[in-house]
Amino acid sequence: MSRREGSLEDSQADSSVSLLPHLEAKIRQTHSLAHLLTKYAEQLLQEYVQLQGDPFGLPSFSPPRLPVAGLSAPAPSHAGLPVHERLRLDAAALAALPPLLDVVRRRQAELNPRAPRLLRRLEDAARQARALGAAVEALLAALGAANRGPRAEPPAATASAASAAGVFPAKVLGLRVCGLYREWLSRTEGDLGQLLPGGPA
Amino acid sequence: FPAAPPPGLECLRPCPQCLSPLFVEAWRECLVSLDPRAGRGYTAVISPQDPTLLIGSSLLATCSVHGDPPGATAEGLYWTLNGRRLPPELSRVLNASTLALALANLNGSRQQSGDNLVCHARDGSILAGSCLYVGLPPEKPVNISCWSKNMKDLTCRWTPGAHGETFLHTNYSLKYKLRWYGQDNTCEEYHTVGPHSCHIPKDLALFTPYEIWVEATNRLGSARSDVLTLDILDVVTTDPPPDVHVSRVGGLEDQLSVRWVSPPALKDFLFQAKYQIRYRVEDSVDWKVVDDVSNQTSCRLAGLKPGTVYFVQVRCNPFGIYGSKKAGIWSEWSHPTAASTPRSAGCGGRQENSMNLGGRACSEPRSRLYTPTWSTERDSVSKKKEG
């Protein structure tokens, strides 16, 4: 079976779901939300690197891209998957991000206690990831493409172990999580754009 | 590699990442540290990890490479500090797998999250990192001052100490207790009126002294201020007088009448209010202050310029509450109230019953004609109770 890009009309042909104006409106709304949150994620990343100090903000900075529990970056093959599958992966990533962002926030509260804006951005990011993830899952349910059966819970991020790690690895971890947050938001925005009538917005 | 560590199996070599469940496949990380040819993860360890140091002190650090992959020896390694490459003469190869670094006369940390000391491979890739905290222990906080708004709360402010900047995150904690009994309490609402301030919103006792002090703590030590002893009644302030009205005094061109209301929050308490008035010409920054307006709620300003807009403010000092002998604390100034004096009758209009100024222009200052004065009018209802 060949993989192909999908739009809302293709979804309708596949699943025989009749086009509802409110569904299209919901897709647009969720896409706009993803677009907005992508910009916030960029601001979060910029503020984060500034407060960790150089070399974190330098263009040449390339720390080890260590894997993060329960979450990886979008795979190169992601773009070739059917749109429903891509959105399922997006929703799963958005569900895995909040506990990681919480761990980063708690660590940053120790490292940068006088940076209330960064701490607030991290707190907001966790909340926003949950909201967007829920919106994507609702769309998938409306399209008849939701996951069947229990969803796997993301592994709990243990704050105490994060505290035990050295400060430099903790800074790198935070950078990795903020980077993954931005990547997945951007990916979700792109995938939702595929659902809009006419293709990408 | 196996997907998960076998139960009960521990990492056989020191591996900073092995303890962190945030890194998936910890066993893989452990194996990576044993076999850097896997090409992932941190393949070296810096010692010491995250040290705290005094400004001006020295540091001897080592970067020890794990495993035995081709090329992964101490040769070719280098250090950066906050992104800047350190001169090679500061480094020395201790053995095949360890590069040492000697830093002297350290400066204070550039950021509170710590200076980033990084060990790099020859190709620039990051092998390990450690964060340095270089600073000073806190100095004794000084100049604690406190005030109570209408006897309902207590706000205190202090100064960090002679030098202030410690280059390390320094935590300040305001403590207080009743002098003769009671446990130590800690203020919880910080930064209410500036970076070094705290607000105690409730549950304060009157007629009994408090002891108040500030404790400063950072990674290098702690310091405690002298104890300030005060009674809430001796440091009371209040709101600015409300309803300040400024009006003309008939046609008198050099006078304005100022009236206000005493602050309502303290109206039920025995106190002798003092007031101050200040006023300025509209386009001037120089205020003139009228002092010693005692227990009255009106005042007449005289000696003003005709045809001029004036801004007027009033503030209150509720001294002597419940017999307190202390001076009290002035409130904030009320919002500016504006009014204008009447134009001089001699300015282009008919002169009736006025002095012939002999051709003097209206715009010339009148200060040579008389000395500015002010007068008061006693309020018909005196708030002063003879004690």
Side-chain angles (χ1 to χ4, degrees):
Chain A
M1 184 168 63
S2 62
R3 294 172 177 170
R4 58 191 170 92
E5 300 289 315
S7 69
L8 184 56
E9 287 85 1
D10 290 337
S11 303
Q12 296 163 19
D14 288 346
S15 62
S16 299
V17 174
S18 59
L19 176 62
L20 298 172
H22 78 271
L23 181 58
E24 181 179 334
K26 204 68 184 166
I27 293 171
R28 290 195 187 280
Q29 185 183 51
T30 309
H31 177 259
S32 296
L33 177 60
H35 178 69
L36 177 66
L37 296 187
T38 302
K39 294 198 181 310
Y40 288 166
E42 187 61 49
Q43 293 170 1
L44 168 61
L45 197 54
Q46 286 176 8
E47 183 137 16
Y48 183 87
V49 298
Q50 185 185 357
L51 283 165
Q52 309 318 304
D54 287 336
F56 283 84
L58 298 179
S60 58
F61 185 55
S62 180
R65 284 175 67 87
L66 295 169
V68 177
L71 183 66
S72 55
S77 57
H78 183 99
L81 296 172
V83 66
H84 294 165
E85 185 58 31
R86 278 183 269 146
L87 287 173
R88 272 195 282 271
L89 292 172
D90 295 338
L94 291 168
L97 276 162
L100 294 166
L101 289 163
D102 283 341
V103 169
V104 174
R105 181 183 56 79
R106 281 195 286 271
R107 198 71 163 108
Q108 287 298 309
E110 299 169 1
L111 297 178
N112 287 296
R114 295 286 162 83
R117 192 168 59 190
L118 173 66
L119 302 179
R120 199 165 50 247
R121 284 192 196 273
L122 286 164
E123 189 173 355
D124 290 346
R127 208 164 29 237
Q128 289 156 4
R130 281 193 196 95
L132 184 60
V136 171
E137 289 189 0
L139 274 179
L140 286 168
L143 291 169
N147 262 336
R148 288 178 178 76
R151 180 161 59 86
E153 288 296 318
T158 307
S160 59
S163 298
V167 174
F168 187 80
K171 288 185 177 184
V172 172
L173 172 67
L175 176 67
R176 185 92 175 98
V177 170
C178 292
L180 285 169
Y181 176 59
R182 184 186 60 175
E183 281 185 72
W184 278 106
L185 282 178
S186 178
R187 186 67 265 170
T188 302
E189 179 190 353
D191 294 339
L192 286 168
Q194 297 278 327
L195 275 185
L196 292 172
Chain B
F1 293 127
L9 189 64
E10 295 178 358
C11 189
L12 298 180
R13 292 224 194 141
C15 173
Q17 306 315 318
C18 284
L19 296 177
S20 172
L22 291 177
F23 293 93
V24 74
E25 299 171 359
W27 177 235
R28 179 187 293 266
E29 295 303 320
C30 204
L31 290 175
V32 164
S33 76
L34 296 174
D35 183 5
R37 282 174 295 182
R40 292 164 57 184
Y42 294 103
T43 55
V45 173
I46 292 177
S47 178
Q49 272 288 302
D50 310 331
T52 302
L53 304 143
L54 274 172
I55 286 179
S57 63
S58 300
L59 170 70
L60 179 63
T62 57
C63 177
S64 299
V65 181
H66 291 303
D68 187 25
T73 66
E75 292 290 338
L77 302 188
Y78 65 92
W79 297 91
T80 62
L81 181 62
N82 290 329
R84 294 177 62 181
R85 187 162 180 165
L86 295 174
E89 55 267 26
L90 298 179
S91 301
R92 189 163 59 95
V93 175
L94 285 186
N95 55 50
S97 62
T98 304
L99 179 72
L101 171 71
L103 294 175
N105 195 23
L106 290 166
N107 292 325
S109 285
R110 187 188 293 185
Q111 54 269 342
Q112 288 203 340
S113 59
D115 294 324
N116 300 307
L117 179 65
V118 179
C119 178
H120 296 261
R122 183 191 299 270
D123 63 358
S125 59
I126 292 174
L127 298 177
S130 175
C131 287
L132 313 183
Y133 295 89
V134 186
L136 297 167
E139 297 208 358
K140 189 169 84 166
V142 295
N143 297 337
I144 303 177
S145 64
C146 301
W147 60 93
S148 172
K149 188 82 171 291
N150 302 321
M151 299 182 290
K152 297 243 186 319
D153 61 10
L154 189 69
T155 303
C156 296
R157 203 154 44 185
W158 62 90
T159 305
H163 294 106
E165 177 65 81
T166 59
F167 298 94
L168 302 171
H169 168 61
T170 300
N171 189 56
Y172 292 90
S173 180
L174 182 88
K175 301 285 186 74
Y176 60 101
K177 68 182 284 288
L178 288 167
R179 186 178 197 181
W180 309 120
Y181 54 93
Q183 60 187 13
D184 292 0
N185 301 291
T186 303
C187 182
E188 295 180 356
E189 295 179 16
Y190 288 86
H191 319 305
T192 50
V193 287
H196 302 292
S197 63
C198 199
H199 176 240
I200 304 166
K202 58 182 180 177
D203 298 333
L204 291 165
L206 304 179
F207 305 105
T208 183
Y210 276 92
E211 292 184 340
I212 299 169
W213 67 98
V214 177
E215 295 176 358
T217 307
N218 69 20
R219 288 170 176 257
L220 282 172
S222 59
R224 180 171 144 150
S225 70
D226 292 335
V227 174
L228 172 69
T229 303
L230 59 79
D231 191 316
I232 298 292
L233 293 178
D234 293 337
V235 293
V236 177
T237 186
T238 188
D239 307 289
D243 300 332
V244 176
H245 291 281
V246 183
S247 56
R248 294 177 175 179
V249 182
L252 295 176
E253 60 201 31
D254 67 333
Q255 296 187 19
L256 289 172
S257 172
V258 185
R259 294 178 183 273
W260 60 89
V261 176
S262 61
L266 295 178
K267 66 180 175 58
D268 296 329
F269 302 98
L270 294 172
F271 74 105
Q272 303 172 22
K274 292 190 298 186
Y275 296 95
Q276 268 185 355
I277 300 168
R278 69 178 187 179
Y279 62 96
R280 65 174 174 84
V281 176
E282 180 182 19
D283 53 0
S284 168
V285 296
D286 298 322
W287 293 95
K288 288 192 173 63
V289 178
V290 177
D291 222 332
D292 290 333
V293 184
S294 296
N295 218 31
Q296 296 158 109
T297 56
S298 62
C299 174
R300 186 185 293 188
L301 305 176
L304 307 178
K305 292 181 187 176
T308 303
V309 174
Y310 283 86
F311 286 107
V312 181
Q313 292 177 295
V314 185
R315 65 177 182 176
C316 174
N317 183 329
F319 76 99
I321 288 188
Y322 287 131
S324 168
K325 295 186 171 29
K326 293 294 177 68
I329 297 177
W330 287 102
S331 71
E332 296 292 323
W333 289 103
S334 62
H335 290 306
T337 302
S340 64
T341 49
R343 284 189 160 277
S344 171
C347 292
R350 291 191 302 158
Q351 296 187 23
E352 296 179 355
N353 300 323
S354 62
M355 287 177 58
N356 185 348
L357 300 180
R360 190 188 309 278
C362 296
S363 60
E364 290 184 12
R366 296 171 62 85
S367 59
R368 290 187 288 145
L369 296 181
Y370 52 82
T371 302
T373 60
W374 57 272
S375 62
T376 63
E377 297 172 356
R378 281 200 174 272
D379 191 89
S380 59
V381 178
S382 171
K383 286 187 168 52
K384 181 178 179 178
K385 296 187 182 181
E386 300 296 328

